[in-house]
């Protein structure tokens, strides 16, 4: 169940997080193992497992998450950043509650590993 992931527990307040932003649809907090000077996670309050499980009804929510990601990135002082959504195990997804990584504050290489 997606609601039973570590992010589900953070949303319920059962596990602490370093919160950056919150509204009625999402929560943004700092990644525990940052891969760059700024590494935020934007998660919906709705327990969607991944983009694989999202559907057209989630269109507005997904757009909201992207816009919040851009807002918090700029509030962190970033002019450039990368927004990443790992979808599925082989893509590196380890927590099965949809999340957008916002990574910046250093030069990022491409392609990713
Ligand atoms: P992914 O590999 O795309 O599923 O990303 C999961 C991310 O969640 C990783 O970057 C982890 O470092 C991060 N993470 C796991 N547990 C926590 C936690 N309790 N608080 C903040 N970040 C976490």
């Amino acid at each position: 169940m997606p609601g039973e992931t570590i992010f589900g527990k953070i949303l319920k307040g059962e596990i602490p997080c370093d919160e950056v932003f919150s509204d009625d649809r999402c929560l943004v907090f700092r990644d525990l193992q940052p891969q760059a000077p700024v590494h935020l996670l934007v998660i919906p309050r709705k327990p969607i497992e991944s983009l694989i499980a999202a559907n057209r009804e989630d269109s507005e929510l997904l757009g909201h998450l992207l816009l919040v990601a851009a807002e918090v990135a700029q509030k962190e002082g970033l002019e450039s950043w990368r927004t990443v959504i790992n979808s599925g195990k082989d893509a590196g997804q380890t927590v099965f509650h949809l999340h957008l990584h916002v990574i910046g504050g250093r030069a990022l290489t491409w392609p990713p590993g």
Side-chain angles (χ1 to χ4, degrees), residues 6-7 10-11 17-22 26-35 38-44 65 68-69 72 82-86 94-95 97-103:
I6 194 132
F7 292 172
I10 287 174
L11 283 168
C17 71
D18 188 353
E19 183 178 321
V20 170
F21 175 84
S22 170
C26 69
L27 176 67
V28 184
F29 51 94
R30 295 187 195 283
D31 197 293
L32 214 50
Q33 291 183 287
Q35 302 302 314
V38 177
H39 188 167
L40 307 175
L41 298 170
V42 182
I43 70 171
L65 298 178
V68 166
V72 293
R82 188 170 293 167
T83 308
V84 174
I85 305 176
N86 295 324
T94 57
V95 179
H97 181 119
L98 177 67
H99 51 281
L100 286 66
H101 295 259
V102 175
I103 300 167

Side-chain angles (χ1 to χ4, degrees), residues 47-85:
I48 302 168
E49 277 184 37
S50 78
L51 267 190
I52 299 161
N55 59 53
R56 294 290 179 100
E57 284 173 16
D58 300 313
S59 297
E60 201 189 336
L61 174 60
L62 295 175
H64 182 70
L65 298 178
L66 276 175
L67 292 172
V68 166
E71 283 171 20
V72 293
Q74 289 169 93
K75 276 189 195 147
E76 291 286 311
L78 300 178
E79 291 177 359
S80 305
W81 65 89
R82 188 170 293 167
T83 308
V84 174
I85 305 176

